[in-house]
Amino acid sequence: MGEARAFDEIWGHGGPTNPRAPLEMLAGWIAETPREELARRLEAAENTFRQLGITFAVYGDRDAAERIIPFDIVPRVFLADEWARLSAGLVQRVEAINAFLDDIYGERRILADGILPPDIVFRNPQFRHEVVGIRPPHGIWAHICGIDLVRTGPDDFFVLEDNARTPSGVSYMLENREAMIRLCPELFRNFRVAAVDSYPDRLHETMRSVAPPGAGSRPVCVVLTPGHFNSAYYEHSFLADSMGIELVEPADLVVDDDVVWMQTIAGRVKVDVIYRRIDDDFLDPVVFRPDSLLGVPGIMSAYRAGNVTLINAPGNGIADDKAIYSYMPEIVRYYSGGEAKLPNVETYRCREPQALRYVLERLPELVVKLVDGSGGYGMLVGPTATKQEIEDFRAALIAEPHRYIAQPTLALSTVPTLTEKGLAPRHVDFRPFVLTGRDGVQVVPGGLTRVALKEGSLVVNSSQGGGTKDSFVLLPDSPQLQAQSQTLGGMFQQQELGS
Amino acid sequence: MRLIVEHRTRYRFSEPQIRLIQCLRMTPDDTDDQTVVGWSIDVDCDARLRQSRDGLGNRQAMLYADGPIGAIEISVRGEVLTGDHGGHVRGTAEPLPPEFYLRETDRTVAGEALGAFVGGAVSGLLGADTIDAATRAIHGRFERIPYVEELRDAATTFAGTTATGREMAQMLVAGLRTAEIPARYVGGYRQREGRACAPHGWVEAYADGEGWIAVDPSTGGRVDERYIRVAVGLDTAGVTPVAGSRLGQGEEMLDVALIVEQARRQ
């Protein structure tokens, strides 16, 4: 039922025969390229991903071998003007996130001005007292943000979640694009798609720009991974590789006299900037969890002393925590001086008695989330939940209301997706990657589109059976696509003959 | 009062260690009640010490030592002039507001029984009286046992009948928080006539309008001039004098020797 009503980003509300006007040509390509050919290309892409080792392990599924995240061959497309509006909203949001972090670990003006209830900061384990009094270079905390967006209509984008700790997925953006260029070159000849391959260079430049003052003109940057058993290890090595910098594990780093050193065959090298893909809890056993075997002892002291920059900064969890999320519109307004260009999804804070009452009355319609959960775990999707699941959540909510927020079930937009039964609309979300360095905020024109492959499903998490798609951002003034004399399907035939 | 502290911490390792990194929270700060006349930390091997402050304002020193290290001894010697302001704590570094100290930690989960016990003790009282009443209640409820290295969390301790001084303090912290009174654990030294000493722990709790008040559930009363305040934390973990990490195999053995005494008149 909701299915029929959801906005399809290519087909609009009109179905395959009546696509959105600017995307008629893409709809034509989808319609005219033989299914078997799309399936063949999809398989070729997935084979490549498997060979590259772009795999992930499903948590709680110990016996499962590492899997690749399913890929879909039909891209998702943003028109130039849509993207311009989105970008402006993302820049504003990420600027606010950085301003908030700098304030909350510094002067805490936002609390003094009564914008946030202090207890949601001070009693929140994501507010790390261990970083109070530290100011990272240029006051930048969230160098790499992945802002999860959903869409319900042509101009209706909402922020579902801010990821300001260690957002992953950017390797999919890059690998998906590479596969699409190889497998569907006709699309790139006929659409002016903004390139994403500069991401590693931009990331490297961002890292260099926030090096500690004493680092000199050629700061040493590294990527720190917990190790090959981590589910995102491929991405860690991929990013280090594409930036041309070292990938290190905790045992490769040593802290001495508040300075971080990398042990190399040629001796010790001083490290200036660390893109660490290890969570705060495990980063330094001397300061955080003493039982962590993943961390680098002393790294927080080097950081506090200003001798190394950590990307992202420890303590960022207080900015993307789900309890804080519901206050983001106020936070954006407070620091930017204007209304949030990208709205939040309406959110009920179950800690508030009135909101809790409302949520308990409408559980079957709502999505309920653990404030400190992630990856689609600890979540109730009312419309698809069983009676038992709903009752279990009801009990949990009554017992610990402060741990939950609830949101309406949104009619997430869909994008045509190749399924076993042919092309069909499937719900998607979107994670663009936003970089903040000394010279400001930039949004890479692309991102990670996650698609819920199960019919009607709204859960796009890879751990819950989601897949990915390439995300095209069209450059302004794209030639009118329908003006071309040939259909893309026809061009594909030529391409096949020629190759 | 003029107090002299000699605090030796000796780690011996069953196998030589390749590297040691330790965070020492062993340096008191001046407050309105205490003036540090002299304080030194000496290490009996080639080590580098870096001074800083943590996020709660505590003085800390990072110790970096390269191996092979079979044993290491950290010797703290100091002299502090103390005064007595009826337990009122003033002149401390306070990077975070009292509200922060309402936060529960793994070790300070009170549980219903402790919450109800402290709630009953403070019922009908206001301000500093609540803090004093809760302190007396915890003091009266438990038989005090000598220092042990292993420490139980607040709820577990409350289920029993005996507690060390540090466990009493941690329970009081947890209990006060359930009554919405900001409370923190304090690590430091306490002078006791004719007794072997161990690092001591007590509590600071916040009363609106009066500020931080230091109480000791081991005695049931307020803190006085026999105490030297070294570090504060959300629980015992936050004030550990030596928190460290070592690279190397084998077991470690810890010996602590502590003397806190009143200086003889000059």
Side-chain angles (χ1 to χ4, degrees):
Chain A
M1 205 179 75
E3 198 63 10
R5 232 177 272 154
F7 166 71
D8 189 276
E9 299 194 5
I10 293 174
W11 291 337
H13 287 288
T17 52
N18 189 16
R20 295 175 72 203
L23 293 171
E24 275 173 5
M25 192 159 191
L26 183 67
W29 174 83
I30 295 171
E32 287 164 34
T33 310
R35 296 292 164 275
E36 312 75 62
E37 177 56 24
L38 289 177
R40 186 191 69 74
R41 295 185 190 183
L42 192 156
E43 203 188 319
E46 291 195 336
N47 280 337
T48 310
F49 296 154
R50 207 167 283 119
Q51 277 160 20
L52 286 170
I54 317 180
T55 55
F56 73 104
V58 180
Y59 292 107
D61 188 2
R62 263 197 215 166
D63 301 328
E66 291 210 327
R67 305 170 181 172
I68 61 158
I69 297 183
F71 174 69
D72 185 64
I73 197 79
V74 181
R76 181 252 198 103
V77 181
F78 293 100
L79 304 174
D81 60 324
E82 290 171 355
W83 186 255
R85 284 195 298 276
L86 259 187
S87 293
L90 289 166
V91 168
Q92 181 199 39
R93 186 139 181 138
V94 170
E95 282 176 348
I97 286 173
N98 273 300
F100 171 65
L101 285 163
D102 208 37
D103 185 28
I104 208 72
Y105 287 116
E107 293 178 63
R108 294 187 297 275
R109 285 181 294 119
I110 193 166
L111 298 183
D113 288 339
I115 309 295
L116 292 182
D119 66 311
I120 70 161
V121 174
F122 292 130
R123 293 202 201 188
N124 194 325
Q126 294 304 331
F127 177 77
R128 305 277 185 180
H129 63 82
E130 294 88 348
V131 305
V132 168
I134 298 176
R135 189 156 194 268
H138 311 293
I140 302 166
W141 297 69
H143 312 84
I144 305 160
C145 283
I147 308 292
D148 289 349
L149 300 170
V150 293
R151 186 178 192 181
T152 58
D155 287 315
D156 305 307
F157 289 92
F158 299 90
V159 177
L160 193 61
E161 194 173 294
D162 300 289
N163 295 281
R165 291 176 236 187
T166 49
S168 62
V170 78
S171 58
Y172 292 97
M173 170 180 88
L174 297 164
E175 294 287 12
N176 287 355
R177 174 60 52 84
E178 211 163 283
M180 287 300 285
I181 291 174
R182 201 172 63 249
L183 295 166
C184 304
E186 71 275 18
L187 289 177
F188 295 87
R189 278 197 300 272
N190 291 280
F191 288 94
R192 291 184 59 218
V193 181
V196 293
D197 58 0
S198 63
Y199 179 81
D201 291 338
R202 296 183 192 214
L203 176 59
H204 196 184
E205 188 42 47
T206 300
M207 290 177 73
R208 281 190 293 241
S209 79
V210 294
S217 59
R218 296 176 62 97
V220 175
C221 306
V222 300
V223 175
L224 173 63
T225 175
H228 63 273
F229 48 82
N230 183 275
S231 65
Y233 181 74
Y234 172 78
E235 182 159 299
H236 307 162
S237 67
F238 172 87
L239 286 173
D241 233 31
S242 27
M243 285 189 279
I245 64 178
E246 294 292 330
L247 176 71
V248 297
E249 296 191 15
D252 301 323
L253 297 181
V254 75
V255 182
D256 190 3
D257 220 7
D258 286 357
V259 173
V260 183
W261 302 88
M262 165 167 62
Q263 327 218 56
T264 72
I265 312 165
R268 281 181 167 190
V269 175
K270 181 170 173 281
V271 176
D272 302 302
V273 184
I274 301 175
Y275 178 17
R276 48 97 184 196
R277 295 289 295 254
I278 296 177
D279 292 345
D280 289 0
D281 270 340
F282 299 98
L283 190 57
D284 184 345
V286 179
V287 173
F288 298 114
R289 281 177 58 160
D291 57 338
S292 170
L293 301 173
L294 301 176
V296 180
I299 197 169
M300 286 299 293
S301 297
Y303 178 59
R304 184 173 277 280
N307 293 333
V308 71
T309 301
L310 297 176
I311 288 178
N312 284 335
N316 280 10
I318 194 62
D320 66 11
D321 180 75
K322 289 191 182 69
I324 297 290
Y325 163 86
S326 65
Y327 292 93
M328 276 307 287
E330 286 93 332
I331 290 173
V332 171
R333 194 183 307 126
Y334 183 74
Y335 294 107
S336 76
E339 289 304 308
K341 295 173 185 167
L342 275 173
N344 264 16
V345 177
E346 190 178 3
T347 301
Y348 307 102
R349 303 165 189 141
C350 300
R351 70 201 298 271
E352 296 169 3
Q354 225 179 332
L356 177 65
R357 212 173 311 128
Y358 179 92
V359 169
L360 290 173
E361 278 166 18
R362 290 172 183 76
L363 274 183
E365 305 157 27
L366 299 174
V367 176
V368 184
K369 295 174 180 176
L370 257 182
V371 168
D372 47 9
S374 73
Y377 297 97
M379 180 165 146
L380 174 80
V381 182
T384 59
T386 64
K387 272 209 165 119
Q388 187 56 46
E389 284 167 339
I390 289 180
E391 288 320 304
D392 289 350
F393 256 79
R394 184 185 306 281
L397 269 167
I398 293 169
E400 298 183 290
H402 61 278
R403 293 190 66 196
Y404 295 91
I405 55 167
Q407 295 169 334
T409 316
L410 297 180
L412 296 195
S413 62
T414 59
V415 175
T417 298
L418 188 62
T419 72
E420 279 173 13
K421 295 181 213 149
L423 284 155
R426 288 291 180 267
H427 296 292
V428 293
D429 81 350
F430 184 55
R431 174 179 291 181
F433 294 91
V434 185
L435 297 175
T436 305
R438 181 190 52 210
D439 302 322
V441 182
Q442 49 177 328
V443 186
V444 183
L448 171 64
T449 291
R450 297 188 297 180
V451 51
L453 294 171
K454 262 187 266 171
E455 188 173 357
S457 170
L458 296 168
V459 183
V460 297
N461 301 79
S462 53
S463 50
Q464 312 274 312
T468 70
K469 283 172 172 290
D470 194 2
S471 315
F472 287 10
V473 172
L474 299 188
L475 293 166
D477 306 313
S478 277
Q480 257 315 315
L481 299 166
Q482 2 357 6
Q484 309 260 348
S485 58
Q486 279 175 304
T487 67
L488 282 169
M491 278 186 305
F492 141 71
Q493 300 290 352
Q494 283 185 341
Q495 157 86 14
E496 281 303 295
L497 289 171
S499 63
Chain B
M1 203 176 241
R2 185 180 285 266
L3 295 176
I4 308 264
V5 176
E6 279 182 41
H7 182 184
R8 282 186 300 118
T9 307
R10 184 174 174 79
Y11 287 92
R12 282 175 299 136
F13 305 103
S14 59
E15 292 181 41
Q17 301 298 297
I18 299 163
R19 187 180 313 121
L20 281 181
I21 295 182
Q22 294 179 321
C23 174
L24 313 180
R25 282 193 200 84
M26 307 181 100
T27 311
D29 225 348
D30 286 351
T31 70
D32 287 4
D33 292 323
Q34 66 184 32
T35 305
V36 181
V37 180
W39 201 266
S40 68
I41 300 177
D42 288 308
V43 182
D44 70 345
C45 64
D46 183 18
R48 294 158 292 284
L49 284 179
R50 282 270 172 178
Q51 310 284 340
S52 63
R53 273 180 200 277
D54 69 15
L56 301 184
N58 300 310
R59 285 187 180 277
Q60 62 179 24
M62 290 298 293
L63 178 156
Y64 301 94
D66 295 326
I69 301 167
I72 184 169
E73 185 169 287
I74 302 159
S75 306
V76 173
R77 287 181 60 90
E79 189 174 333
V80 179
L81 277 174
T82 60
D84 184 351
H85 291 92
H88 288 273
V89 181
R90 297 200 181 95
T92 50
E94 298 290 348
L96 288 170
E99 272 165 302
F100 170 74
Y101 295 95
L102 287 167
R103 184 191 290 191
E104 187 180 86
T105 66
D106 289 347
R107 293 183 186 204
T108 56
V109 174
E112 274 177 35
L114 173 56
F117 177 74
V118 171
V122 306
S123 142
L125 299 174
L126 288 171
D129 290 344
T130 57
I131 298 165
D132 291 325
T135 307
R136 280 193 304 271
I138 293 285
H139 175 71
R141 169 90 155 57
F142 292 89
E143 182 196 336
R144 176 142 183 232
I145 53 173
Y147 178 93
V148 284
E149 181 63 21
E150 281 299 309
L151 198 89
R152 297 168 291 174
D153 66 51
T156 309
T157 315
F158 190 75
T161 56
T162 59
T164 66
R166 295 190 304 159
E167 286 171 336
M168 282 193 200
Q170 189 157 266
M171 267 190 292
L172 180 58
V173 166
L176 287 167
R177 287 183 192 153
T178 64
E180 294 290 307
I181 299 168
R184 61 194 181 194
Y185 186 91
V186 188
Y189 303 106
R190 174 184 165 210
Q191 184 257 330
R192 295 167 79 191
E193 288 302 331
R195 296 283 289 270
C197 299
H200 192 53
W202 60 96
V203 175
E204 287 174 0
Y206 192 82
D208 283 329
E210 299 189 58
W212 288 102
I213 291 171
V215 289
D216 185 354
S218 299
T219 65
R222 299 240 179 139
V223 161
D224 57 28
E225 60 186 355
R226 290 171 299 165
Y227 291 73
I228 299 172
R229 180 189 194 272
V230 177
V232 298
L234 286 169
D235 57 25
T236 47
V239 304
T240 311
V242 184
S245 168
R246 59 191 173 96
L247 183 64
Q249 305 287 317
E251 304 291 311
E252 70 181 32
M253 287 139 287
L254 171 64
D255 290 314
V256 177
L258 175 62
I259 299 168
V260 184
E261 59 184 16
Q262 197 173 348
R264 289 188 210 103
R265 287 180 191 282
Q266 311 242 319

